[in-house]
Amino acid sequence: MRGAAMYYRSGLHKKGAPYFESTNEDLRQSMARAQKLISWGIFDVQSLASQVYKKNSEWPQPPSIVFAPEEATSLDDKVMWTPYPFQTPIFASNTYMIARFRSGLAELVNETATMALQLEGSPPTEDTWAQGYEIYRKLIQWDRDLPRELLQERNSTPHCLCLRMYYQCTVINLCDIFEPHTSNQPLAQSDFDPSTIKSCAVEALGSLILFYKHFHGWKSVPIVMLHYLCVAGIHAIARLSPSEMKWMKVLESSVLGLWNMAIGWGRLGKAFLKIIAFLLRAQKVENDRITPKTAAIMGQLDGAYWTATDAASLAADYVVHSVPSDVAVTAQSVDDLIKAAEQLTL
């Protein structure tokens, strides 16, 4: 977040920023393209951090420089994506088109995070309900505007599936703000049903996790998948049923994905796995309701794998939304959940 603030204060997100200027015409075009990617990348990451860490956004507005549709199409022309470690192209990469649409989604993530922080634990007002409904309307329009080549049925590249997961998690986070307060929902926003909308988004997120596992396993998984896998795993627990295999598989894929990612992102990956283990224990989920692979990894979380030092030095206060509860929808940080679980209470 400090880096995002420095970048913004330096004006590097503005057209004509001296840092990205060049007298060489070919290099100037490359630098202009790099400036757009870097600026929107920083805005995107700080927006996501604002949402999940509950930190104030450092950018009053998004970058003014964007990829035009014609520019993105031209840059993507004849560029193919090849799955590691193979050399044969499978899909068009659509790198710049995805960057353009992800930028639009990042704006809505930033709006959602800013609105949530403005509430500061207070119930939403009539104006907040209207603001939330407007963000949801924009999200629906964003989804409708996606070109066919970016739909998951036609494109299963990792960055395309992650774009879809980002969308579903944004919808879930928006609904989390309003779901506990539907009894006081204004009639003017009656078309905005947080519980139903969120349930559909969770279903879609679970399917996307299974899609990703089927097509890519856990090779070269982007860091943001920690977030998607954690959210999907938590919601899968509330939907476990011996007669419903989907959520057993979603939970297994989330746990396997986090386990693999914990090799490179140890502390945070282990924290998310431990949260899932705590929730399985709190919900009294028996091993006959989870797969053998899930049970095996959960068994590895006891003992030396998770140490007191890990809990004490966990710096991130990552917020986990919608912890399953019979009482209310809650939002607690990883650190809070670990400390609570040490006293066997959630």
Side-chain angles (χ1 to χ4, degrees), residues 103-115:
S103 299
L105 185 56
E107 287 190 60
L108 299 176
V109 170
N110 204 58
E111 278 189 54
T112 304
T114 301
M115 179 183 64

Side-chain angles (χ1 to χ4, degrees), residues 21 38 47 72 95 99 154 159 192 244 266 270 307 318 330 332:
E21 285 294 299
I38 293 167
S47 298
T95 300
R154 298 173 62 91
H159 49 301
F192 179 40
E244 178 58 81
K270 288 197 292 185
T307 67
Y318 193 101
T330 61
Q332 292 177 276

Side-chain angles (χ1 to χ4, degrees), residues 168 172 175-176 179 194-207 230-252 279-280 283 285 288-290 321-326 329:
Q168 300 300 346
I172 291 169
C175 292
D176 277 333
E179 190 178 23
S195 295
T196 302
I197 294 166
K198 175 181 165 182
S199 180
C200 292
V202 171
E203 284 283 342
L205 178 62
S207 297
C230 183
V231 173
I234 286 170
H235 286 290
I237 293 172
R239 290 164 171 75
L240 287 175
S241 167
S243 60
E244 178 58 81
M245 283 297 297
K246 173 180 177 177
W247 293 103
M248 293 174 69
K249 289 294 184 182
V250 170
L251 179 60
E252 177 187 272
L279 294 176
L280 287 169
Q283 297 295 310
V285 176
D288 62 346
R289 291 170 58 195
I290 61 177
H321 291 280
S322 296
V323 176
S325 168
D326 296 331
V329 178

Side-chain angles (χ1 to χ4, degrees), residues 11-12 27 65 76 90 125 133 147 155 168 170 196 210 224 251 262 269 283 314 319 329:
L12 297 175
L27 184 58
I65 49 175
D76 283 333
I90 299 294
T125 63
Y133 179 73
N155 189 328
Q168 300 300 346
T170 303
T196 302
L210 296 178
V224 75
L251 179 60
Q283 297 295 310
L314 184 68
V319 172
V329 178

Side-chain angles (χ1 to χ4, degrees), residues 34-82:
Q35 184 189 12
K36 292 175 186 177
L37 288 171
I38 293 167
S39 299
W40 277 103
I42 291 173
F43 175 75
D44 190 339
V45 171
Q46 75 92 42
S47 298
L48 183 61
S50 177
Q51 184 177 71
V52 301
Y53 290 107
K54 298 299 180 185
K55 306 291 186 186
N56 287 318
S57 174
E58 295 290 350
W59 288 49
Q61 67 248 356
S64 58
I65 49 175
V66 296
F67 287 104
E70 301 79 11
E71 181 184 14
T73 301
S74 174
L75 290 168
D76 283 333
D77 187 38
K78 298 179 181 178
V79 179
M80 303 297 289
W81 174 80
T82 302

